[in-house]
Amino acid sequence: MKLAFFDEFKLGVVKGDAIHDVSAVVKDIPHAGPGDLMNSLIGEFDLYRSKLEAAATGSGTKLASVRIRAPLPKPGNIVCMAVNYMEDGTLAKPAPINAFHKAPSAIIGPGDTMVLPDVPATIFEGEAEMAVVIGKRASVVSAADAMDHVFGYINFIDGSARGLPPPGNVFFQMKSRDTFAPIGPYLVTKEEIEDPQKLPIKLWVNGDLKQSFNTDDMAHNIARCIEWVTSIHTLEPGDILATGTNHRGLSSFMDGDVVELETQGLGRLRFNIRDQLKRTWSRETRLDRQKKNEEGPTHQLTGKHAKTA
């Protein structure tokens, strides 16, 4: 099942090119807003699945005529795995398993705008990822049982403001900025995805393909990530666990960009970039630079905070 919020955060089930309003089915779920509603629905989904399926009949409304919103507006946790790909076999061994938190206020949805702040970042990037959505409370879960705690999957962008001073004071100010976690367009329940460890992921910037990789290149698979994270803290229904990216295709995000992310089976997420400072960078990817024996992201070319030679 593909779940989505649309227009004024009405709950819908997506089938083909149509969305079916099923908000009446869940009106009995106590909630203060759409985020609470979705989290509670996920936690009690067995009670509502058949009702949602029964309500999602008929012709529905054409997706092209509605505004699709972020499917998880208020996750309790956003946990992002760090350096969790083998980079197309270029890494000699997996990096030690690691992760970081991203603020829930970073969430935006399809058609929304990632805003680049006035900070001296060396570059702004967005990492294409497939994220896991937790379906039931998970604490000290074994890898063998981990997939039983998965509700579904979403497209996820991990926005980054890299290189902020002082050195070593990195992840919080780089990752947790408002609008730095675009997700969507749908929340796809797990039975729709035959094998989440064999999914192609692609990211385009203004129509140019920048990232293209497969989830089979993960250094630590989904089950191991859940096992490790839940050994540290509990995950609740509606929490997001982003599984990492292949960094070789990363490139700059700049004002006016239109970014699209598609993971097989999860739909295509499209969002915009705005930078009031109109800063510019080269369009080179990390892989482009590696081929020239240059490491890391490209340097800022013009605008405020650019470093002169």
Side-chain angles (χ1 to χ4, degrees), residues 167-296:
N169 185 3
V170 180
F171 278 107
F172 179 68
Q173 59 172 333
M174 175 169 66
K175 298 290 193 177
S176 279
R177 295 182 179 274
D178 291 346
T179 74
F180 270 35
I183 62 170
Y186 320 125
L187 168 52
V188 180
T189 54
K190 67 179 180 181
E191 75 278 357
E192 298 232 346
I193 303 301
E194 182 177 354
D195 186 352
Q197 296 290 174
K198 291 187 180 297
L199 297 179
I201 298 175
K202 297 182 185 296
L203 180 138
W204 297 263
V205 178
N206 302 327
D208 293 332
L209 182 63
K210 293 294 186 179
Q211 287 189 268
S212 180
F213 60 98
N214 196 290
T215 57
D216 63 8
D217 192 43
M218 281 186 200
H220 307 282
N221 67 18
I222 295 167
R224 171 58 181 143
C225 292
I226 293 172
E227 177 182 59
W228 185 76
V229 171
T230 63
S231 73
I232 298 167
H233 71 77
T234 300
L235 294 174
E236 299 285 355
D239 283 354
I240 293 173
L241 174 59
T243 55
T245 198
N246 183 321
H247 294 78
R248 285 153 61 86
L250 294 186
S251 64
S252 56
F253 281 3
M254 291 184 278
D255 184 65
D257 284 347
V258 176
V259 181
E260 296 173 280
L261 165 61
E262 184 171 4
T263 303
Q264 182 177 291
L266 303 186
R268 184 175 291 208
L269 169 64
R270 186 177 187 268
F271 63 97
N272 308 299
I273 306 294
R274 183 171 76 241
D275 177 17
Q276 292 183 338
L277 300 179
K278 314 296 184 185
R279 292 161 285 188
T280 64
W281 287 263
S282 164
R283 290 295 186 181
E284 290 180 313
T285 65
R286 300 279 188 94
L287 180 57
D288 293 333
R289 290 177 60 76
Q290 287 173 359
K291 289 178 178 178
K292 298 192 301 183
N293 295 317
E294 298 175 351
E295 292 298 325

Side-chain angles (χ1 to χ4, degrees), residues 55-252:
T57 56
S59 58
T61 302
K62 292 295 184 183
L63 282 169
S65 67
V66 302
R67 179 181 177 185
I68 299 296
R69 303 286 193 151
L72 283 162
K74 192 180 177 182
N77 285 290
I78 303 175
V79 180
C80 300
M81 302 309 297
V83 195
N84 194 37
Y85 273 77
M86 297 302 294
E87 310 287 332
D88 299 319
T90 60
L91 297 185
K93 60 181 180 179
I97 193 166
N98 196 11
F100 55 90
H101 270 109
K102 207 171 183 79
S105 61
I107 292 286
I108 59 172
D112 289 340
T113 300
M114 178 187 287
V115 179
L116 309 185
D118 182 357
V119 294
T122 55
I123 195 170
F124 294 94
E125 295 175 330
E127 302 174 12
E129 305 195 19
M130 184 271 287
V132 174
V133 178
I134 299 300
K136 63 180 180 179
R137 196 170 194 268
S139 178
V140 195
V141 173
S142 69
D145 296 331
M147 300 308 289
D148 292 339
H149 293 263
V150 173
F151 177 79
Y153 306 95
I154 54 171
N155 288 311
F156 182 91
I157 292 284
D158 175 21
S160 300
R162 299 194 185 277
L164 292 171
N169 185 3
V170 180
F171 278 107
F172 179 68
Q173 59 172 333
M174 175 169 66
K175 298 290 193 177
S176 279
R177 295 182 179 274
D178 291 346
T179 74
F180 270 35
I183 62 170
Y186 320 125
L187 168 52
V188 180
T189 54
K190 67 179 180 181
E191 75 278 357
E192 298 232 346
I193 303 301
E194 182 177 354
D195 186 352
Q197 296 290 174
K198 291 187 180 297
L199 297 179
I201 298 175
K202 297 182 185 296
L203 180 138
W204 297 263
V205 178
N206 302 327
D208 293 332
L209 182 63
K210 293 294 186 179
Q211 287 189 268
S212 180
F213 60 98
N214 196 290
T215 57
D216 63 8
D217 192 43
M218 281 186 200
H220 307 282
N221 67 18
I222 295 167
R224 171 58 181 143
C225 292
I226 293 172
E227 177 182 59
W228 185 76
V229 171
T230 63
S231 73
I232 298 167
H233 71 77
T234 300
L235 294 174
E236 299 285 355
D239 283 354
I240 293 173
L241 174 59
T243 55
T245 198
N246 183 321
H247 294 78
R248 285 153 61 86
L250 294 186
S251 64
S252 56

Side-chain angles (χ1 to χ4, degrees), residues 11-30:
L11 182 67
V13 172
V14 176
K15 291 185 175 181
D17 63 353
I19 189 165
H20 301 261
D21 186 351
V22 295
S23 52
V25 174
V26 296
K27 64 182 180 181
D28 62 325
I29 297 179

